[in-house]
Amino acid sequence: MTTQTITSSDIILTGDRTTGPLHLGHYVGSLKRRVELQHVCRQFLLLADAQALTDNMGNYLKVRENVLQVALDYLAVGIDPEKSVIFIQSLVPELTELSSYYLNLVTVARLERNPTIKDEIKLRGFERDIPAGFLTYPAAQAADITAFKATIVPVGADQIPMIEQTNEIVRRFNASVSRDILVEARAVVPEQGARLPGFDGKAKMSKSLGNALPLSACADEISHAVRMMYTDPNHLRVSDPGQVEGNVVFTYLDVFDEDAERVAELKAHYQRGGLGDTVIKRHLEGILQELLAPVRARREAFAKDPQAVMDMLKRGTEKAREAAAVTLAEVKGAMGLNYF
Ligand code: TRP
């Protein structure tokens, strides 16, 4: 992890599209680190409802409802709104305004070459008819990042092209006004192994693949997920030697069991034969139940007062607007758009 190279003078911005509640994969890949980083430097967390609409315009109610759900997930894992500024993207019009200028610094061809955009176009079947807002969301994301002068953007590896494109915009803008107004940002991606496979063994835990464990999962859902977990299909009898590679139970134990020595022993035993799937699953289940019980309890407590959560988001959004307005004024000033 690169936390060590992040200092108190850094500014972090990252966020999530509000298309669904967050799951254990988000926890391992990013939420856990945000909880740590909020003590290191200023951190802005964006509920990207406007970006979610770029491919969910027909589902705007889902996008709206998940603003609260994602906020609850943040609070449940221990993100502290006194330390992190949590805000709603669509309520910061400065971002839209900034991105309208940035659109003049990117070409359609460059947007079409963005590897993440390319993949997403395929995935969503947009080949024939790409919504313009979708194609151009990298410029909007550049606005999200630069508005806060973010230096660090913790994201999944799939977002690296977004940060690259952001930095291109930063360099072009600064060059065109001959001043260093905007700041380049560094993508920080989770270390290898921080990407949790789905419990079916598929490479990625994802709600749409149906292999995800939401952070709000009840005890029964957790046991069910562990019971369904992919192990070694050739490990038929307890006495048979079993495979550890690709065995999701062991992948999860590597991530969640803090006792690495015990995991090593369990692996050796499993490989020798004589250790049954039920036993290792029960062990993992205990760990996951213990991890998620307090998260669920905190989530339920916050969910009892949604108005208080919305008030918190309102305060966060006000802070975010203030910061974004400063950058917007600098950007416009540098272009001579400071008329009065
Ligand atoms: N694109 C990100 C995602 O798919 C969400 C996001 C929007 C974001 N704006 C951002 C992430 C700015 C980091 C920085 O999850």
Side-chain angles (χ1 to χ4, degrees):
M1 231 276 269
T2 44
T3 314
Q4 295 89 319
T5 66
I6 298 173
T7 67
S8 60
S9 58
D10 276 306
I11 298 176
I12 294 178
L13 178 127
T14 189
D16 298 284
R17 294 185 189 181
T18 57
T19 49
L22 304 181
H23 54 61
L24 202 57
H26 293 113
Y27 178 74
V28 171
S30 69
L31 296 173
K32 199 173 148 199
R33 186 163 40 163
R34 294 182 200 174
V35 175
E36 295 160 13
L37 289 175
Q38 66 185 347
H39 302 288
V40 177
C41 66
R42 196 133 201 247
Q43 173 165 261
F44 291 92
L45 300 178
L46 161 93
L47 298 167
D49 60 341
Q51 186 179 108
L53 286 174
T54 63
D55 63 343
N56 278 285
M57 205 56 179
N59 254 326
Y60 54 83
L61 285 180
K62 177 180 87 174
V63 170
R64 188 219 143 94
E65 279 156 19
N66 280 300
V67 165
L68 176 63
Q69 295 308 315
V70 174
L72 286 171
D73 289 329
Y74 285 180
L75 297 171
V77 298
I79 290 171
D80 174 358
E82 298 298 320
K83 300 232 173 269
S84 302
V85 178
I86 309 174
F87 69 101
I88 303 176
Q89 187 183 30
S90 66
L91 289 177
V92 185
E94 287 78 5
L95 298 177
T96 323
E97 201 176 333
L98 264 183
S99 85
S100 73
Y101 298 120
Y102 294 172
L103 282 171
N104 304 320
L105 298 169
V106 294
T107 65
V108 172
R110 174 65 181 89
L111 289 162
E112 285 172 342
R113 269 202 312 274
N114 182 310
T116 304
I117 291 288
K118 261 181 155 166
D119 286 351
E120 290 182 334
I121 284 174
K122 258 197 232 125
L123 219 67
R124 288 162 179 68
F126 280 162
E127 282 98 339
R128 288 179 169 278
D129 276 307
I130 313 171
F134 182 82
L135 181 65
T136 56
Y137 91 73
Q141 192 155 332
D144 299 339
I145 295 167
T146 55
F148 303 97
K149 306 245 162 90
T151 52
I152 302 286
V153 187
V155 277
D158 64 315
Q159 294 291 304
I160 290 175
M162 296 297 163
I163 320 301
E164 282 169 359
Q165 202 164 1
T166 296
N167 288 339
E168 274 173 42
I169 291 173
V170 168
R171 289 190 293 268
R172 284 220 176 123
F173 180 82
N174 287 347
S176 69
V177 299
S178 309
R179 281 166 63 192
D180 284 341
I181 304 273
L182 299 176
V183 178
E184 286 193 50
R186 181 155 61 91
V188 174
V189 297
E191 60 200 292
Q192 285 257 316
R195 182 175 196 177
L196 203 63
F199 50 74
D200 58 355
K202 290 220 179 79
K204 193 177 174 183
M205 178 174 276
S206 140
K207 186 166 173 256
S208 52
L209 293 175
N211 62 9
L213 194 58
L215 291 172
S216 53
C218 65
D220 279 351
E221 277 174 87
I222 298 169
S223 350
H224 180 75
V226 176
R227 248 181 289 128
M228 300 300 292
M229 231 170 232
Y230 182 85
T231 56
D232 169 5
N234 298 318
H235 186 237
L236 298 176
R237 274 175 304 242
V238 171
S239 55
D240 288 344
Q243 267 242 332
V244 162
E245 296 77 30
N247 185 322
V248 179
V249 176
F250 284 107
T251 312
Y252 277 45
L253 283 177
D254 279 333
V255 175
F256 296 106
D257 190 343
E258 278 162 14
D259 188 344
E261 227 171 274
R262 179 172 55 192
V263 177
E265 277 164 25
L266 287 172
K267 281 183 181 171
H269 192 177
Y270 194 79
Q271 283 167 323
R272 266 198 321 270
L275 183 57
D277 281 6
T278 0
V279 176
I280 52 166
K281 283 187 170 178
R282 206 176 303 133
H283 176 57
L284 174 64
E285 192 198 329
I287 293 171
L288 290 181
Q289 294 286 11
E290 206 173 302
L291 173 74
L292 289 175
V295 173
R296 185 169 60 240
R298 271 198 301 268
R299 201 181 193 285
E300 280 166 8
F302 284 114
K304 284 206 180 97
D305 192 353
Q307 190 54 50
V309 179
M310 294 314 287
D311 287 345
M312 176 279 286
L313 292 180
K314 192 163 177 229
R315 288 192 298 276
T317 302
E318 280 159 11
K319 283 190 210 158
R321 274 200 80 172
E322 255 172 58
V326 172
T327 306
L328 178 63
E330 287 171 359
V331 163
K332 291 175 79 174
M335 295 188 293
L337 306 180
N338 47 352
Y339 296 103
F340 308 109

